[in-house]
Amino acid sequence: MELMVLLNALVTRLLFVLHSLIGVWRVAAVKKEPKYWLLALLNLLLCLETGLTLKFKQGRGYKWFSPAIFLYLICTVPSLWLLEIHHGTQYCSNEPGAVQVNVSNQDFNQSRDSSHGSEGIDHHIIQTAKVFVNQLSRICETVWTLALHQTFLLLLVVGRWLLPIGAEITRDQLSQLLLMFVGTAADILEFASETLDIEDVRKNYALINAILAVWTWSMLQFPLDLAVQHIGCKPTASTRRIPSLLLCRYSAELWNIGVSLFIQDGPFFIVRSILMGHFRIFNQMLVFFTAKNILVVTLQLYRLAVISLDFRATILQKSRKGEVSCCPCEPYEANTHAAADQDTELKDFVAFPPKDESQAPSEDP
């Protein structure tokens, strides 16, 4: 096993576990009940996946699916749910979005003076860490929750980048996938923060659960790599059917359209429309992002129509020539016939080798 592959696999999963534990710590601190530390046991699934991946895959990834990303979602999403539902009443004295961690020199001096008289430098480090943690705990809860949301989405993108790739995905495909994930993460963060920060939404417990459910549903696209990989096409009778041929040729494009319509922009548009239409909640950003969702959904439907028309034209053109293609650039049956003709010619060449006219015996007159 390569050293870099092993290092990337372990470091990435360690970052996932640490971030998940920070989320569990915040839940236990906010709820003031130690029983919420049981959420940390979910990380055992990630540890088990790490061992199995190192043993059977030598640390590399799987085709079309990332179990490490999926288990990271399982470990972190419950903590974010509890924090959002609780929505602490702690007053934020600082400006919105500002995070100030002021560790006074007096606290450091006191810890340093006490360390000189007792346990030395180790005790000083421990006391300094306690002071720092106490100062972090004083940050208001809404800032903590937003920071966990932001780091969660950043770790999903960075973690997918650091995780070793399998043989089925190339680095070019991985770069395309990461660029898509950056835009997706920005949209998801905006949806969660923009809708849950509305005061009328915070007063409706059922509406908070519905928004968090849609947010969780949109996160399920991160473990999948279908957006950049085409499904393999095998020469079977079923691949000659029109839906199978369409899926074979445009699998990545159809997956992108499906994600936008049914996992991200479609559900986001429905939630925002309900907020404006049923609950009469209006603000400038809500109207803007609703219009943006409408535009994206319309463009995706237009893209689907273009793909369908192009595929129909290709099928009609090849049907006139007697060819049925599974791959957009290499007609399968035509290649099969050509290969069969080449095999026949090769067998004939071996069975009946051509005569050399220079060595042929001359005929007597």
Side-chain angles (χ1 to χ4, degrees):
M1 186 186 305
E2 299 179 3
L3 179 60
M4 287 302 300
V5 173
L6 175 62
L7 186 62
N8 289 338
L10 293 179
V11 169
T12 305
R13 288 167 173 85
L14 180 60
L15 291 175
F16 290 165
V17 172
L18 289 177
H19 186 266
S20 176
L21 292 178
I22 292 175
V24 175
W25 166 62
R26 286 310 306 162
V27 173
V30 168
K31 297 290 187 178
K32 295 181 173 60
E33 294 185 16
K35 67 179 182 180
Y36 286 101
W37 278 104
L38 294 175
L39 291 172
L41 296 177
L42 293 173
N43 291 282
L44 294 178
L45 297 174
L46 191 56
C47 296
L48 178 62
E49 183 272 338
T50 303
L52 294 176
T53 301
L54 293 178
K55 181 178 180 180
F56 296 104
K57 297 287 291 184
Q58 288 74 44
R60 298 193 176 273
Y62 296 80
K63 185 178 182 180
W64 298 338
F65 182 74
S66 175
I69 298 293
F70 180 72
L71 293 177
Y72 176 47
L73 295 179
I74 294 178
C75 295
T76 309
V77 167
S79 299
L80 294 177
W81 264 72
L82 293 173
L83 291 174
E84 289 290 357
I85 291 176
H86 183 266
H87 189 64
T89 57
Q90 182 179 354
Y91 174 71
C92 291
S93 58
N94 52 330
E95 297 180 358
V99 180
Q100 299 177 357
V101 181
N102 297 322
V103 182
S104 63
N105 293 329
Q106 182 180 0
D107 294 334
F108 279 112
N109 292 332
Q110 289 178 356
S111 63
R112 187 177 61 232
D113 293 340
S114 61
S115 64
H116 286 316
S118 55
E119 292 124 0
I121 190 65
D122 294 336
H123 181 72
H124 168 61
I125 295 176
I126 295 175
Q127 291 297 326
T128 303
K130 289 182 179 180
V131 172
F132 185 73
V133 172
N134 290 333
Q135 291 293 330
L136 286 179
S137 301
R138 296 177 186 176
I139 300 176
C140 66
E141 182 186 333
T142 55
V143 175
W144 259 112
T145 304
L146 179 59
L148 287 174
H149 270 286
Q150 294 170 339
T151 52
F152 178 45
L153 292 169
L154 287 176
L155 268 181
L156 284 173
V157 179
V158 176
R160 188 64 187 87
W161 190 5
L162 294 178
L163 283 174
I165 60 177
E168 295 82 6
I169 183 173
T170 63
R171 295 190 180 276
D172 177 65
Q173 292 174 336
L174 179 62
S175 63
Q176 297 178 25
L177 186 67
L178 293 174
L179 289 174
M180 293 174 57
F181 279 176
V182 170
T184 299
D187 288 342
I188 293 175
L189 178 62
E190 178 277 323
F191 171 76
S193 59
E194 179 259 329
T195 53
L196 292 175
D197 284 345
I198 300 175
E199 183 178 358
D200 293 335
V201 172
R202 284 295 178 184
K203 298 177 182 178
N204 193 325
Y205 184 77
L207 192 56
I208 293 176
N209 288 331
I211 293 174
L212 289 176
V214 173
W215 170 77
T216 305
W217 171 249
S218 66
M219 301 296 294
L220 295 179
Q221 58 186 298
F222 284 98
L224 299 173
D225 299 339
L226 293 174
V228 294
Q229 297 190 53
H230 288 277
I231 298 176
C233 186
K234 297 181 180 180
T236 59
S238 60
T239 56
R240 299 185 181 183
R241 299 176 182 177
I242 298 301
S244 300
L245 289 173
L246 180 62
L247 180 62
C248 177
R249 292 188 57 180
Y250 300 101
S251 57
E253 290 83 354
L254 292 177
W255 170 251
N256 289 328
I257 295 174
V259 166
S260 179
L261 295 180
F262 300 107
I263 299 182
Q264 187 169 331
D265 290 285
F268 290 178
F269 166 68
I270 293 174
V271 170
R272 288 171 172 139
S273 299
I274 292 175
L275 290 178
M276 293 190 299
H278 181 72
F279 294 96
R280 303 297 179 183
I281 299 175
F282 294 94
N283 60 53
Q284 184 177 1
M285 297 304 296
L286 184 62
V287 173
F288 171 77
F289 283 108
T290 303
K292 177 248 186 186
N293 291 141
I294 294 175
L295 181 61
V296 172
V297 170
T298 304
L299 291 176
Q300 293 291 0
L301 292 175
Y302 175 73
R303 173 62 179 163
L304 181 61
V306 170
I307 289 176
S308 301
L309 293 175
D310 178 71
F311 176 75
R312 181 174 179 272
T314 304
I315 291 297
L316 291 177
Q317 181 181 2
K318 291 184 179 297
S319 63
R320 296 191 186 101
K321 297 180 180 180
E323 300 175 354
V324 179
S325 175
C326 180
C327 177
C329 58
E330 296 180 359
Y332 172 74
E333 290 191 356
N335 290 343
T336 303
H337 293 318
D341 294 338
Q342 292 177 359
D343 291 341
T344 303
E345 293 176 1
L346 181 60
K347 292 179 181 178
D348 294 338
F349 180 87
V350 174
F352 303 100
K355 296 182 179 180
D356 190 353
E357 295 181 356
S358 61
Q359 300 179 359
S362 58
E363 295 181 359
D364 295 332

